[in-house]
Amino acid sequence: MVGASTVQTTTAIMYGTKQFGIIQDFIKGLEDYMESKGYSTISQMRGLTLSQIKAWDTVDRDSRYLSQVDPEKCTGCQLCTNWCFFDAISMVEKKAVIDPHKCDGCGLCPSLCPKDAITMDEPGQKYLGNFR
Ligand code: SF4
Ligand code: SF4
């Protein structure tokens, strides 16, 4: 949607439990998204969000989405403690805990947790683009 004709992925393959199997998830997710939005070809979507890209100095960095862990779903596998570039995830009583002062809201850990135990909350309104 930002105009690319190829896509590269690395971290999800390196750190995710599915390794290269995650590519099948990408393909299925893309197919489902396109069907739900009525797109039949990639070229119909390519470049749609270009007009919404902001310059770095105009991006709102005061409010952000933060990760949170559902302790009922967390199995304590500790995988997520290796993923966070901001050192925001630690283990407390065998459950992952996220430090809201360190989490940068990058979205990596909720996308990789094998138990879907991590979600993003919404502490403040933040414009992330209109992807419809
Ligand atoms: S949040 Fe997910 S990845 Fe992290 S320890 Fe719990 S189950 Fe494992
Ligand atoms: S969302 Fe990103 S910055 Fe926040 S805890 Fe997860 S990996 Fe770390």
Side-chain angles (χ1 to χ4, degrees):
M1 284 183 156
V2 294
S5 57
T6 57
V7 177
Q8 174 177 305
T9 185
T10 308
T11 312
I13 294 171
M14 286 167 52
Y15 290 139
T17 54
K18 293 184 177 180
Q19 298 181 328
F20 281 104
I22 200 167
I23 292 172
Q24 290 302 324
D25 290 355
F26 292 165
I27 294 170
K28 178 75 168 54
L30 183 59
E31 287 175 346
D32 290 349
Y33 179 80
M34 290 176 67
E35 186 176 341
S36 72
K37 300 297 181 184
Y39 298 121
S40 55
T41 65
I42 296 287
S43 61
Q44 290 175 318
M45 303 189 298
R46 185 176 295 131
L48 282 181
T49 58
L50 277 175
S51 63
Q52 299 178 46
I53 292 178
K54 293 180 170 185
W56 176 254
D57 57 358
T58 64
V59 173
D60 171 16
R61 298 293 292 172
D62 295 327
S63 61
R64 68 188 72 170
Y65 285 66
L66 299 175
S67 284
Q68 57 185 359
V69 177
D70 181 344
E72 297 295 316
K73 291 184 177 177
C74 177
T75 59
C77 70
Q78 301 187 39
L79 286 172
C80 55
T81 59
N82 295 320
W83 300 332
C84 183
F85 294 103
F86 298 89
D87 197 27
I89 309 175
S90 57
M91 301 301 294
V92 177
E93 296 180 355
K94 298 183 179 176
K95 300 288 181 183
V97 174
I98 293 173
D99 183 340
H101 301 292
K102 292 183 176 178
C103 174
D104 195 57
C106 74
L108 181 61
C109 59
S111 69
L112 292 180
C113 172
K115 300 299 178 185
D116 289 330
I118 309 177
T119 54
M120 308 294 283
D121 70 357
E122 299 181 36
Q125 291 294 315
K126 184 171 181 184
Y127 180 67
L128 291 175
N130 177 3
F131 299 108
R132 295 196 178 90

